[in-house]
Amino acid sequence: MPDDGDILDFRSDTITRPSAGMRQAMARAEVGDDVFGEDPTVRRLEQRAAELCGREAALLVPSGTMANLIGLALHCQRGDEVILERRTHSFSHEVGGGAALFGILFHPLESADGRLLPEQVEEAIRPVDVHQPRTRLVVVENSINLAGGLLYPFELLRRLRQLTRQRGLGLHLDGARIFNAAVASGVEPATWAAQVDTLSFCLSKGLGCPVGSLFVGDREQVDQARWLRKMLGGGMRQAGIIAAAGLYALEHNIARLAEDHARARELAAGLRQCLDERFRVQPVETNMVLIHTDSAATTETTLASWRRAGVLALAPSPTTIRLVTHLDIPAAGARQAVERISRATREQG
Ligand code: TLP
């Protein structure tokens, strides 16, 4: 296996380390006690995030998980139900926090590709009936992580918005990778954000920050979110240090996401050439390559052989392999990964 410095790590875009420029911005940050609302850098970041999303306000929180949890708790009372696709991160990868901490029921639906269809939602909305929980919220994700970074089509979101409005439901968007979605689709974050009641996005994924997510919505929602953040233990003090990283990322690291997307396409094209019929490489829409395998054993042996060759990937399910491109993958990284994988495949076969 190549030494540490030579490993190509495609496990996630969360693994990036802050760049020199970002570290300088963090070191210079003006700070104060943010629980008292006195950190000027946090305030600037929150204003900038609200502005980029075309919404009234935003709140810095430690993680995407907390931002989504706040979204659930803001829209639902105990015993209320939220509709989402089964691959949605807040259902599948956030430890059931909505249920455990706020008594919220999850109603997961299954679609072909992780995209929730308005017709499915309509059918799943509970009738007003004393025996049944009340449907309160729909959660969608863009891009859809566990579907391989697929985009949520804008027209679909618009129709979902109409439906949720008609039926008096909230609509929360987990936009952990909304900037990837915006760059790939050409639809601005503010245009996506105008279609939902609340949204969250992450600084610590493609944007390259060490920590932080934003919860975004109307002023009243964000005021309430501040209470929920404190309740969840997410009130931070001199958080300007991380907010400065966020401001730096919003300025320098959005447009370059197109490079990650190009690298993911390059990686997918190369892998299609060198992998055999046990693998199906899904078309790439953003910064992820999702490969469907014929069995859990294939997944396991493949990940192990790639690891030995110096390429790290993850298996989000027993029969899928995910590779994510990001800031810390060098320009030649996709080509090198394909070369290493081809060599490993030849040596095995
Ligand atoms: N995703 C991580 C893992 O948890 C799987 C990853 O490596 O992709 N929403 C979406 C769509 C996410 O992909 C993630 C993290 C989150 C929320 C949670 O964010 P954090 O990790 O900041 O709590």
Side-chain angles (χ1 to χ4, degrees):
M1 173 150 86
D3 64 30
D4 262 11
D6 200 26
I7 300 256
L8 293 166
D9 193 344
F10 293 97
R11 285 173 303 163
S12 182
D13 46 10
T14 60
I15 65 115
T16 54
R17 298 187 176 115
S19 64
M22 184 178 278
R23 283 172 194 258
Q24 269 168 23
M26 295 171 80
R28 279 199 302 264
E30 215 188 317
V31 296
D33 190 325
D34 182 51
V35 172
F36 295 142
E38 292 172 3
D39 190 302
T41 312
V42 171
R43 284 195 182 169
R44 275 205 295 134
L45 172 64
E46 292 176 343
Q47 260 166 22
R48 182 74 193 117
E51 223 170 74
L52 275 171
C53 295
R55 300 294 300 261
E56 282 175 6
L59 182 74
L60 175 65
V61 299
S63 66
T65 301
M66 190 182 287
N68 285 334
L69 190 53
I70 287 173
L72 294 175
L74 198 77
H75 292 282
C76 302
Q77 309 256 315
R78 295 190 79 77
D80 286 347
E81 194 167 72
V82 49
I83 296 175
L84 26 62
E85 211 278 340
R86 72 170 172 84
R87 274 162 285 193
T88 308
H89 198 274
S90 47
F91 173 63
S92 66
H93 275 66
E94 293 176 15
V95 210
L101 303 174
F102 292 104
I104 297 164
L105 277 89
F106 288 105
H107 189 155
L109 305 179
E110 169 125 25
S111 73
D113 52 13
R115 293 161 174 142
L116 201 55
L117 304 171
E119 300 71 41
Q120 287 184 288
V121 173
E122 177 133 48
E123 224 174 87
I125 297 172
R126 304 269 190 174
V128 178
D129 171 350
V130 76
H131 302 90
Q132 301 196 34
R134 286 171 302 188
T135 307
R136 283 283 189 218
L137 178 68
V138 175
V139 174
V140 288
E141 200 173 297
N142 194 22
S143 61
I144 311 170
N145 178 357
L146 292 151
L150 294 187
L151 296 167
Y152 201 88
F154 185 74
E155 178 53 21
L156 215 49
L157 186 64
R158 217 184 47 74
R159 283 174 49 214
L160 211 46
R161 170 62 157 181
Q162 266 173 359
L163 173 69
T164 52
R165 275 233 168 115
Q166 261 167 22
R167 305 296 297 264
L169 309 181
L171 181 58
H172 174 75
L173 169 64
D174 176 352
R177 295 183 179 82
I178 195 66
F179 292 102
N180 292 88
V183 166
S185 64
V187 178
E188 293 292 328
T191 310
W192 295 105
Q195 297 299 324
V196 296
D197 293 299
T198 53
L199 78 145
S200 53
F201 73 79
C202 292
L203 298 167
S204 58
K205 311 233 155 35
L207 298 183
C209 293
V211 61
S213 293
L214 274 300
F215 178 83
V216 186
D218 297 340
R219 166 74 48 202
E220 210 176 300
Q221 290 166 322
V222 171
D223 285 346
Q224 208 184 327
R226 197 174 293 278
W227 252 257
L228 288 162
R229 179 185 70 174
K230 193 76 180 79
M231 181 191 284
L232 293 168
M236 297 175 284
R237 303 295 181 176
Q238 287 69 30
I241 289 180
I242 54 176
L247 281 163
Y248 179 93
L250 293 177
E251 196 176 328
H252 296 96
N253 293 348
I254 294 179
R256 64 149 307 284
L257 291 170
E259 293 169 32
D260 295 344
H261 300 172
R263 240 156 252 166
R265 287 194 298 271
E266 186 188 346
L267 191 56
L271 291 174
R272 266 186 214 110
Q273 298 291 318
C274 73
L275 297 176
D276 62 37
E277 63 294 339
R278 292 171 303 153
F279 303 89
R280 184 175 64 79
V281 182
Q282 194 176 286
V284 169
E285 295 194 356
T286 55
N287 67 331
M288 296 186 185
V289 179
L290 193 71
I291 305 171
H292 300 267
T293 70
D294 67 348
S295 71
T298 301
T299 303
E300 220 174 284
T301 52
T302 302
L303 284 180
S305 115
W306 290 6
R307 175 178 281 274
R308 284 193 297 277
V311 178
L312 303 186
L314 274 187
S317 81
T319 54
T320 52
I321 294 176
R322 181 188 81 160
L323 297 108
V324 187
T325 53
H326 53 76
L327 257 166
D328 287 3
I329 294 290
R335 182 177 51 75
Q336 286 166 349
V338 173
E339 280 165 14
R340 290 180 190 187
I341 289 170
S342 304
R343 206 174 316 125
T345 312
R346 279 198 308 274
E347 278 165 16
Q348 266 180 352

